[in-house]
Amino acid sequence: MINIGARDFERELQFQASRSGGAGGQNVNKVNSKVELRFHVENSELLTEEEKALVLEKLANRINGEGYLQVVCQTERSQFKNKELCVERFKELLRQATTRQKKRTATKATRSSVRRRLEGKKKQAEKNLTAASEAIFRRSIKALQGWLLR
């Protein structure tokens, strides 16, 4: 895909500021520091049809009923920093959504790894056999002792 970061999405983004919750003391009640970024995916002129389809598919949980991709930032106390954070997160979301995952190539286990696995299984089986035979031996001794003490 083409580099998402190189495109200028500023003219297609809509920002809305509102009062934020959380830390900030009295400042929280006075200043609109929470920023909500909205981007209409289907109406975008900067995304190709293929990229739009990928974004709509992969970011469906972040897209509302009107077709807007929403990103909300309220971690910083300043509106400007929150706006910058929103734009960064937005570009990162688009980058992740439009990046195709590499197909996994099937590989065969090496002979030595198969041999090591089988040897480990044999050792474990031997341990289980000795432990089981010891338990049976102990039970039979107890049974004999009980029989002799009658």
Side-chain angles (χ1 to χ4, degrees), residues 18-33 77:
S18 60
R19 291 195 182 119
S20 174
Q26 295 173 347
N27 192 47
V28 168
N29 302 326
K30 297 185 293 184
V31 181
N32 292 337
S33 60
R77 287 181 62 171

Side-chain angles (χ1 to χ4, degrees), residues 48-108:
T48 65
E49 292 302 318
E50 182 183 359
E51 290 170 336
K52 287 178 189 179
L54 282 170
V55 169
L56 288 170
E57 177 188 337
K58 292 187 179 179
L59 300 177
N61 59 333
R62 288 182 172 264
I63 297 174
N64 65 14
E66 301 168 4
Y68 284 98
L69 171 65
Q70 294 181 311
V71 180
V72 178
C73 295
Q74 60 181 356
T75 55
E76 302 295 328
R77 287 181 62 171
S78 108
Q79 186 183 111
F80 180 73
K81 286 182 183 175
N82 280 332
K83 186 176 178 181
E84 285 181 338
L85 269 174
C86 271
V87 172
E88 285 176 27
R89 286 185 193 169
F90 166 75
K91 287 185 177 180
E92 181 61 23
L93 281 172
L94 281 186
R95 189 190 63 74
Q96 288 176 357
T98 56
T99 302
R100 292 206 180 264
Q101 282 196 340
K102 295 178 183 175
K103 290 205 170 187
R104 181 188 176 278
T105 55
T107 57
K108 187 177 178 182

